[in-house]
Amino acid sequence: LTMTVRDATPADRPRLLALNEESEQELSELDMQRLEYILSLAHRTLVVEGEGEIAAFAIAIAPGADYDSRNYLWFGERYEQFLYLDRIAVAAPHRRNGFGARIYDAMEDSAVPFRRMVCDVNVDPPNDVSLAFHKARGYRELGRLQHSEKAVMLLSKELAITPVSAG
């Protein structure tokens, strides 16, 4: 299976909205206006194409954005440097086929200058698949936040800036 990671374009927005809707239980509801607001704040928005269609997307926001997300603000109160993974969605038929890992690899590369990538995962209701995925990638729990309809675990992965060796 060929996977291509690229930056999202405005033409991708209807597909991003559809993918988000498919994963609303794990993410949060979006309409086009909210999606455009989040994209306007984004440091990086990536898509992964497979079989000629967008199979996954992820949006990350750097510190200092005027973002109203409680989870984002929680990290902003504690860290000067981080890249916040606001959301990631993988189309149901493509889950557990490496699309999530591929987009995380690319997003973590984008996060290296910020020294850490942070995100949140539902713990009530629990998203065990996502929790296991993050643990396997080296994310650790920093805290939890209770929202009216759910609780999330706040996670961080420290990213070392690896010097390029000479020769």
Side-chain angles (χ1 to χ4, degrees):
L1 178 67
T2 308
M3 284 185 235
T4 309
V5 179
R6 64 169 174 79
D7 287 300
T9 67
D12 298 329
R13 288 178 182 174
R15 179 68 179 145
L16 304 190
L17 205 55
L19 281 171
N20 191 89
E21 194 174 308
E22 200 179 285
S23 296
E24 240 170 50
Q25 189 181 341
E26 296 84 10
L27 303 173
S28 59
E29 215 176 312
L30 269 188
D31 58 19
M32 188 57 82
Q33 185 178 355
R34 180 79 179 163
L35 176 63
E36 288 176 356
Y37 162 69
I38 294 170
L39 291 173
S40 75
L41 303 173
H43 172 73
R44 194 100 200 259
T45 303
L46 296 174
V47 298
V48 183
E49 290 179 338
E51 314 273 297
E53 69 163 6
I54 295 173
F57 82 94
I59 302 172
I61 301 175
D66 189 19
Y67 191 26
D68 60 9
S69 155
R70 279 185 61 211
N71 301 338
Y72 173 81
L73 294 168
W74 188 94
F75 289 112
E77 287 163 6
R78 287 157 180 82
Y79 297 105
E80 286 182 23
Q81 292 188 295
F82 63 90
L83 187 61
Y84 174 67
L85 187 70
D86 181 68
R87 63 191 62 233
I88 174 171
V90 179
H94 298 291
R95 289 182 188 156
R96 298 194 175 286
N97 289 322
F99 285 88
R102 189 72 187 273
I103 210 162
Y104 261 77
D105 290 344
M107 209 51 103
E108 286 173 2
D109 286 347
S110 297
V112 167
F114 298 97
R115 303 182 49 185
R116 72 182 51 84
M117 191 154 100
V118 298
C119 62
D120 48 85
V121 176
N122 290 359
V123 288
D124 181 22
N127 187 342
D128 295 330
V129 171
S130 183
L131 289 168
F133 174 84
H134 286 89
K135 186 176 183 182
R137 289 190 72 89
Y139 285 78
R140 60 187 183 82
E141 179 178 351
L142 299 178
R144 295 183 182 213
L145 261 185
Q146 183 66 50
H147 294 270
S148 54
E149 73 291 353
K150 66 182 181 184
V152 297
M153 181 185 292
L154 301 145
L155 301 165
S156 174
K157 180 178 181 179
E158 304 299 310
L159 301 166
I161 298 173
T162 48
V164 179
S165 59

